[in-house]
Amino acid sequence: MPDLQGDDEVLRALVRRRDEGSVPGRRADDHRIALVVGGGGMRGAYAGGMVWALEQAGLAKGFDLAYGSSAGAFVATALLLGHGYDASRIFPDDMARPEFIDPRRLRTRRPMVSLDHLIDEILVHTKPTDWDALRDSPAPLRVLVTDPDDLTPHVLTGLPDAAGWRAAMRATAAIPLLTGPPVRLGGRRWIDGSIGDPLPVARALREGATHVLVLLTRTVEELSRSDPTDRAPWWARGIDLVAPGLGTMTQDVRRHAASLALLSDAAHPDRGGRHLLAITPQRSAGIRGLTTDVPRVEQASRLGHDAAVATVRRIDPGFDPGDEFRAPPGSYRRTDA
């Protein structure tokens, strides 16, 4: 099982920036700190809890850019816009409901997963998202999408208007067969970003990141159940023939292997002395990508929050997120103040 304890210099750099009052575009250091948020559908609840803890710790403005695929793109958006509390609540409160996920809709040939409900209802009324603010964010968001023809990953960023950002979010969450057809944007078709690159750590390094904080939406044990073979099993390849990308999505161990190797090996040739740190839930809530069991999804959000709090406290022992997980957003507090 890989050791993902990582390099705490990532946290130290974020804490220094917080204490200096550093904000994107006006830095006192020459670091380029990236946030990478993994996808996984309803597993995004773990990352939502983590982002809320990072915001409570005052670290959100320490990032220079963020990467996200699938649910991770929505969670990364929440961090950039200061909506950490909403990120911790959207999965159990709004998404673990039949309006969003309902297998019975397959009988009527309607999408089992309703991106219309997510984009046009939840993110407009219950957890509003200011897409124009995302467009103008000094810390850019890079949304991972996948080309359904060859399953290669691509990035959407710098979109000019709210309509473009909404389309990008649809594209990165477009699960083959389950959400409807691929999403068209920029003259091309796109599907779920986690198919091509579920954890774009290597991409962040290639694009100049000196420090990368990674939010994992699976436990290390879940990602290390077996050693991946050279090829996907025949049944996964068969599913891909019917719905390109859907079979690939079932292969968590294989899809995350390269990123886990990069995270767990400080001497990895692709790291080049740069600093990587992963936050991962310490135990599983037993949820999967389409889980709608509210108590389990709620538990996943809490586990993610607990994991991030424990990680921050390694560097900042005085960090106190408060006693109530559901407490309304408040300012950063220290127990030794």
Side-chain angles (χ1 to χ4, degrees):
M1 185 178 297
D3 177 8
L4 297 183
Q5 288 301 307
D7 185 346
D8 279 346
E9 179 55 31
V10 176
L11 278 180
R12 294 190 186 96
L14 287 168
V15 169
R16 286 195 298 269
R17 283 184 167 184
R18 181 200 68 200
D19 294 346
E20 294 166 356
S22 176
V23 296
R26 299 197 303 274
R27 303 295 193 195
D29 58 52
D30 58 0
H31 304 326
R32 185 171 173 81
I33 304 180
L35 177 73
V36 171
V37 187
M42 296 300 291
R43 291 186 179 98
Y46 292 112
M50 293 173 188
V51 160
W52 172 224
L54 293 173
E55 186 174 304
Q56 287 177 300
L59 304 182
K61 294 187 181 300
F63 295 97
D64 298 301
L65 72 167
Y67 297 79
S69 60
S70 186
F74 293 89
V75 173
T77 296
L79 178 129
L80 294 178
L81 298 184
H83 298 169
Y85 181 67
D86 283 352
S88 74
R89 299 306 319 164
I90 190 171
F91 293 92
D93 290 352
D94 306 293
M95 295 171 67
R97 299 176 61 87
E99 291 87 350
F100 178 56
I101 300 174
D102 190 348
R104 295 173 298 180
R105 285 198 290 266
L106 292 174
R107 302 173 189 167
T108 61
R109 298 186 179 181
R110 291 182 297 158
M112 172 182 170
V113 180
S114 176
L115 295 181
D116 286 345
H117 183 70
L118 174 61
I119 302 293
D120 300 331
E121 293 295 328
I122 296 174
L123 296 180
V124 171
H125 301 295
T126 58
K127 303 287 190 297
T129 296
D130 185 347
W131 301 109
D132 289 328
L134 183 62
R135 177 199 63 197
D136 299 332
S137 171
L141 174 67
R142 305 200 191 286
V143 178
L144 274 293
V145 291
T146 302
D147 185 325
D149 295 325
D150 57 15
L151 302 187
T152 55
H154 297 263
V155 169
L156 302 176
T157 193
L159 298 167
D161 52 34
W165 281 111
R166 287 196 298 269
M169 292 299 172
R170 284 180 182 271
T172 194
I175 305 171
L177 279 185
L178 302 184
T179 64
V183 174
R184 288 195 172 274
L185 180 61
R188 298 183 64 175
R189 300 184 310 142
W190 306 112
I191 56 176
D192 192 299
S194 69
I195 296 170
D197 193 348
L199 205 62
V201 181
R203 179 181 293 273
L205 294 179
R206 290 196 304 269
E207 295 181 354
T210 60
H211 301 64
V212 183
L213 180 65
V214 182
L215 307 185
L216 288 169
T217 59
R218 295 157 177 82
T219 66
V220 175
E221 183 179 6
E222 287 173 323
L223 292 172
S224 310
R225 286 175 176 159
S226 62
D227 293 327
T229 56
D230 291 337
R231 294 190 70 194
W234 64 267
W235 57 266
R237 299 197 302 272
I239 294 173
D240 277 340
L241 290 176
V242 177
L246 190 59
T248 302
M249 290 184 76
T250 68
Q251 303 298 295
D252 277 352
V253 174
R254 174 177 291 98
R255 293 190 304 137
H256 287 83
S259 294
L260 290 181
L262 189 56
L263 286 168
S264 59
D265 182 4
H268 195 289
D270 291 341
R271 284 181 66 150
R274 288 167 291 182
H275 307 283
L276 304 179
L277 177 66
I279 301 178
T280 182
Q282 295 305 300
R283 60 188 179 90
S284 173
I287 67 170
R288 297 179 180 273
L290 299 175
T291 295
T292 56
D293 183 325
V294 173
R296 287 184 180 274
V297 177
E298 170 90 26
Q299 183 186 25
S301 187
R302 289 175 178 268
L303 287 170
H305 185 265
D306 290 347
V309 169
T311 301
V312 172
R313 281 178 173 165
R314 292 207 303 261
I315 302 304
D316 186 3
F319 170 44
D320 174 19
D323 296 330
E324 293 295 331
F325 179 68
R326 289 184 61 100
S331 60
Y332 168 78
R333 300 188 302 173
R334 293 183 59 91
T335 57
D336 57 355

